[in-house]
Amino acid sequence: MHLNQTNHQKKNILVVDDTPDNLRLLSAMLTAQGFEVRKALNGKMALTACQMVLPDVILLDINMPGMDGYQVCQQLKADNKTSEVPVIFISALDDVVDKVKAFDVGGVDYIAKPFHGAEVVLRIENQINLRLLQVKLQEKNFLLQQALDNLKASQVQQIQNEKMVALGQLVAGLAHEINNPISFIYGNLQYTGQYVEDLVKMIEVYQQEYPKPTPKIQQIAKDLDLNFIIKDLQNLIGAMYRGSDRIREIVLALQHFSRHDEAEMKRVNIHEDIENTLVMLQHRLKEATDRPAIVVVKDYGNLPLVTCYASELNQVFMHLLNNAIDAIEERVKNQFPEERMGNQSSTPYSLLPTPQIRIHTEVTDLNLVKIAIADNGIGIEESLRSRLFDPFFTTKPVGKGSGLGLSISYQIIVQKHRGNISCTSAAGKGAEFVIEIPVEQPDISSQFSKSEKGLGTGD
């Protein structure tokens, strides 16, 4: 069945033959059938013609001087731009070996000279139809892959949501359970300190009233080192105050970080959320046996209250800060591989830049809150950056990263907050992740009174 003229009148056919008579014959034959025909007398001209305008089908003579048809076909198939164009070989040699070689180098069909017009047209139309079906199949495959990726992303989000709900409940429960005893301890420390002070005063009065104690009392005072105990008690009470206060801060940070009861959007102080996340990561920022402490430099701008899903935004901060710490640790390990083996006898940390994470915040001219988290870690190669936010893709060693963190962060920022997240980096030069989200989300801006909109929380 032939294609009608309307369907193939714009189909571009490139005819390559070193014999002008053959070119004229094929050109006239195909033009009469409604095809647009271009001609090339040799292989080089054919390759140039393909780069200028991509043909739909190529009729390629095998025997040509300089570059034969096989070589031309091999170059066409090696180029991504022309590799999918169907090549039909034409030759006066009706030899089985020639046909086999024609298919081996990537040809799709073979026509022997002298050719019959109807046969040539039919073979060309068959290849055009096959190509159209191939393109449709590729489109369907692309749509199926897209659907599969969306399904994977939905599964990732569902898993993460369930994980964070469970984690939020656990953290909130722990915070509540810890809060009760620590509140009891903290509240009673004041009385304990007063009682200790009263007892010390009582001992001092006894020493004044009875300057010559019995030998037994003298021996006990000496064994206990009474003077040291009296002096050190004040320090111990102060240390217990500070320790209890620190636990209270951590409990408060746990409660703020989990926000398990805050599923809806609300106005929050972004700086407080960042600070709470840093408290959660304090154990990772401290000096370790294989690296110095990581310095966090805060360059906070004057931010208004931001309308967001606070709990989910905290997840993003946690992912990005954890990744920054991982990148710094990997850089130290790469520069001092002997530390990997447990040999810390001569660690020249002074040769390394101070491990540093810089957090910058500001409001842009487009009324977006910009949060930039930069590290001076190992960095990310350019070839990998385009895949950073793909589900299950990770640059970390096997067993260290799940490949979910940045994918989830992308969904939270882009899909849930209508914002943007990007990365700039170079191998060995550190990385910077930039988040931008609207100060107000259109969905809920009407829920807040105009008086609230003027509030600011700059540091």
Side-chain angles (χ1 to χ4, degrees):
M1 179 179 177
H2 287 230
L3 290 174
N4 60 45
Q5 187 171 352
T6 304
N7 285 339
H8 69 222
Q9 65 182 3
K10 292 184 179 179
K11 297 301 176 184
N12 188 298
I13 312 298
L14 176 64
V15 181
V16 187
D17 198 317
D18 64 326
T19 306
D21 289 342
N22 289 338
L23 284 178
R24 281 192 291 271
L25 174 62
L26 286 168
S27 178
M29 185 190 307
L30 297 174
T31 301
Q33 293 295 320
F35 292 105
E36 181 181 336
V37 180
R38 291 184 299 147
K39 295 171 280 187
L41 283 167
N42 56 56
K44 288 185 178 180
M45 290 177 64
L47 294 173
T48 302
C50 287
Q51 294 298 322
M52 292 175 65
V53 178
L54 196 66
D56 295 295
V57 177
I58 299 173
L59 294 181
L60 182 57
D61 188 22
I62 292 176
N63 294 308
M64 294 185 295
M67 184 186 296
D68 64 26
Y70 302 131
Q71 293 171 314
V72 175
C73 187
Q74 285 173 327
Q75 290 200 31
L76 290 170
K77 297 302 172 184
D79 188 338
N80 288 334
K81 183 178 179 181
T82 57
S83 61
E84 299 296 327
V85 178
V87 176
I88 301 175
F89 282 103
I90 53 178
S91 176
L93 302 174
D94 191 7
D95 191 303
V96 174
V97 176
D98 288 323
K99 289 182 180 180
V100 171
K101 189 172 181 180
F103 290 117
D104 282 345
V105 297
V108 295
D109 207 346
Y110 187 105
I111 302 173
K113 298 177 185 178
F115 19 69
H116 303 284
E119 179 189 2
V120 173
V121 171
L122 182 60
R123 289 178 184 269
I124 290 174
E125 290 174 343
N126 284 341
Q127 292 306 322
I128 290 173
N129 284 329
L130 284 172
R131 181 65 186 140
L132 288 173
L133 291 172
Q134 200 176 37
V135 169
K136 286 182 180 178
L137 182 61
Q138 288 173 346
E139 289 174 352
K140 286 183 179 178
N141 286 343
F142 175 77
L143 292 174
L144 285 171
Q145 186 62 49
Q146 202 172 36
L148 180 61
D149 291 342
N150 290 338
L151 179 61
K152 279 185 179 180
S154 298
Q155 289 173 335
V156 168
Q157 186 61 52
Q158 186 177 2
I159 291 168
Q160 180 66 11
N161 286 344
E162 291 174 1
K163 173 182 169 184
M164 291 309 297
V165 167
L167 179 62
Q169 291 172 343
L170 175 64
V171 166
L174 284 172
H176 177 73
E177 291 300 320
I178 295 170
N179 197 45
N180 287 334
I182 198 60
S183 295
F184 175 79
I185 293 169
Y186 189 83
N188 283 301
L189 271 175
Q190 181 180 354
Y191 302 110
T192 304
Q194 187 61 52
Y195 295 160
V196 167
E197 190 176 330
D198 291 344
L199 287 172
V200 169
K201 285 181 180 178
M202 189 67 181
I203 292 171
E204 289 174 347
V205 170
Y206 265 101
Q207 287 175 334
Q208 291 169 7
E209 294 295 322
Y210 298 95
K212 293 182 179 181
T214 65
K216 185 176 181 180
I217 293 175
Q218 289 181 17
Q219 185 61 42
I220 292 173
K222 182 179 178 182
D223 292 342
L224 295 178
D225 197 353
L226 186 60
N227 291 333
F228 172 78
I229 290 175
I230 291 172
K231 290 179 182 178
D232 200 45
L233 268 173
Q234 303 294 335
N235 296 331
L236 287 176
I237 295 295
M240 285 190 281
Y241 261 118
R242 290 191 297 274
S244 300
D245 201 44
R246 176 64 178 156
I247 294 173
R248 291 178 69 203
E249 286 178 7
I250 292 172
V251 168
L252 191 61
L254 285 170
Q255 290 173 329
H256 285 171
F257 179 81
S258 65
R259 295 187 186 267
H260 73 289
D261 56 344
E262 298 177 9
E264 298 302 320
M265 275 195 173
K266 62 175 294 183
R267 278 194 167 90
V268 299
N269 183 329
I270 290 292
H271 293 153
E272 283 185 1
D273 281 355
I274 294 173
E275 291 296 326
N276 289 329
T277 308
L278 288 171
V279 169
M280 300 281 287
L281 291 171
Q282 196 62 42
H283 66 288
R284 296 203 65 197
L285 296 169
K286 291 179 179 177
E287 182 177 356
T289 55
D290 56 352
R291 64 156 175 79
I294 297 173
V295 177
V296 179
V297 179
K298 301 165 190 174
D299 178 22
Y300 290 166
N302 189 17
L303 300 186
L305 293 176
V306 178
T307 303
C308 64
Y309 293 97
S311 177
E312 296 191 21
L313 201 58
N314 282 343
Q315 291 180 45
V316 177
F317 296 150
M318 179 66 80
H319 286 314
L320 296 184
L321 288 167
N322 256 322
N323 284 348
I325 295 169
D326 288 341
I328 289 171
E329 290 181 340
E330 194 64 26
R331 180 175 184 179
V332 173
K333 287 179 182 178
N334 285 355
Q335 292 201 242
F336 299 103
E338 68 275 6
E339 310 308 318
R340 232 184 256 261
M341 306 304 294
N343 174 23
Q344 289 100 22
S345 58
S346 59
T347 308
Y349 286 136
S350 59
L351 300 179
L352 269 178
T354 301
Q356 185 181 104
I357 295 173
R358 182 175 180 271
I359 305 172
H360 170 79
T361 63
E362 64 174 280
V363 178
T364 70
D365 294 339
L366 299 175
N367 204 30
L368 299 173
V369 170
K370 177 180 176 181
I371 304 136
I373 298 176
D375 64 73
N376 60 349
I378 195 169
I380 304 166
E381 293 180 9
E382 185 178 357
S383 59
L384 302 178
R385 285 207 304 274
S386 62
R387 300 181 58 197
L388 281 179
F389 302 105
D390 292 351
F392 308 109
F393 175 78
T394 179
T395 60
K396 296 177 183 177
V398 176
K400 183 141 190 186
S402 64
L404 298 178
L406 288 179
S407 173
I408 291 164
S409 298
Y410 182 88
Q411 292 180 32
I412 291 171
I413 297 300
V414 177
Q415 297 176 11
K416 297 207 72 170
H417 289 87
R418 299 180 179 86
N420 182 53
I421 180 171
S422 61
C423 172
T424 55
S425 179
K429 300 280 178 94
E432 180 180 52
F433 284 85
V434 176
I435 300 166
E436 290 181 320
I437 59 173
V439 173
E440 293 283 357
Q441 295 290 329
D443 292 357
I444 64 160
S445 57
S446 59
Q447 296 178 15
F448 300 97
S449 66
K450 291 182 180 178
S451 61
E452 283 184 291
K453 294 183 181 179
L455 293 175
T457 60
D459 287 309

